[in-house]
Amino acid sequence: MARRLGISHQNLGLIVDRAMVKTPFPYLGDLRLFVSDKSGAYCVNWPVKNKYEDFKLPGPRSSLRALSDNDDAAAVARHRLELEYHADAGIRTHPVALEVMDRAVCLNLRNVFLDDSYPVPLSAKHRKTALEMARSYVGVDVPAYQVARRIAKEFRITERDAIALLHQGIWRRELHVDLFEPFLMPSPMRPQVVDPVDHYAEMFAR
């Protein structure tokens, strides 16, 4: 593919049976998402940077190498190869830059994700009922920590368990709150106004 595009391809040196073998460097994005929609399952490739302009800059460098204001030809070629690699497999590449992401959404999702694997000691039936109870407080002037406390008392679990349940409900899209504002336990749970998945839908497109 590199030859087809007229681009030089960086190689890796690997030791195979005590001999050095050169092989093309696999240009892969930072994240590969597996998504499902009405048409079935598909994959999306996400190379991630802080700013979109960073996709035109070289990768990590030593302090002895000067940083140029000009686009780095090797970096541009590398990202073009990555895009074409995935396109050949029917995978769309969406470069993602932190600069266009809402800060509150990023911080909220990071916070609730950290509890996704937390073992909440509830059966599937009781978990569903507890989340229904949590949903009844969305948009009500009751702090989230009080909601967690009431759930803990009702289902005989710890407050830490109940907080994890709220976080899991948000992460798994079972509890819809406003993620474009800071989600804080001392504050009421604001109802969702904009769905982040709809807001950033282009990043998940086929």
Side-chain angles (χ1 to χ4, degrees):
M1 178 179 295
R3 285 194 296 270
R4 186 180 78 200
L5 297 173
I7 297 173
S8 61
H9 198 303
Q10 182 179 352
N11 291 321
L12 283 176
L14 303 176
I15 303 297
V16 179
D17 294 331
R18 298 183 180 182
M20 177 68 74
V21 177
K22 288 188 176 182
T23 185
F25 187 88
Y27 292 129
L28 302 176
D30 298 284
L31 296 171
R32 218 148 286 100
L33 283 66
F34 294 89
V35 191
S36 180
D37 62 11
K38 294 179 181 179
S39 300
Y42 64 100
C43 184
V44 175
N45 178 50
W46 276 12
V48 180
K49 300 286 187 183
N50 283 325
K51 300 178 180 180
Y52 279 118
E53 65 183 26
D54 292 344
F55 286 104
K56 298 180 179 181
L57 299 177
R61 60 183 60 240
S62 72
S63 58
L64 298 178
R65 292 173 57 195
L67 179 62
S68 171
D69 291 331
N70 299 321
D71 294 350
D72 184 84
V76 173
R78 180 171 68 247
H79 289 296
R80 185 182 176 192
L81 277 174
E82 179 185 334
L83 187 151
E84 294 293 340
Y85 282 158
H86 287 82
D88 268 12
I91 298 172
R92 188 171 178 181
T93 294
H94 293 284
V96 175
L98 183 61
E99 66 179 345
V100 301
M101 304 293 292
D102 184 89
R103 180 173 173 78
V105 171
C106 293
L107 293 176
N108 286 331
L109 290 179
R110 178 186 181 279
N111 187 41
V112 298
F113 170 72
L114 293 176
D115 266 344
D116 188 56
S117 60
Y118 183 95
V120 178
L122 288 175
S123 66
K125 178 180 179 180
H126 286 156
R127 185 179 186 280
K128 180 180 178 180
T129 306
L131 283 172
E132 288 174 354
M133 181 176 174
R135 281 192 287 271
S136 71
Y137 284 99
V138 176
V140 178
D141 191 22
V142 176
Y145 80 87
Q146 286 282 9
V147 177
R149 186 171 294 173
R150 295 175 188 184
I151 290 174
K153 183 178 180 180
E154 178 71 21
F155 293 91
R156 297 181 180 180
I157 57 178
T158 67
E159 289 184 27
R160 177 67 185 89
D161 294 336
I163 290 172
L165 177 71
L166 295 180
H167 287 171
Q168 290 175 5
I170 294 169
W171 177 254
R172 300 175 190 181
R173 297 175 58 76
E174 300 165 319
L175 181 62
H176 297 280
V177 299
D178 186 1
L179 293 176
F180 286 87
E181 293 291 338
F183 176 76
L184 304 171
M185 296 308 294
S187 302
M189 296 187 291
R190 302 180 183 88
Q192 176 177 279
V193 178
V194 178
D195 188 334
V197 173
D198 292 337
H199 186 74
Y200 296 110
E202 178 60 26
M203 295 182 179
F204 300 93
R206 286 178 176 270

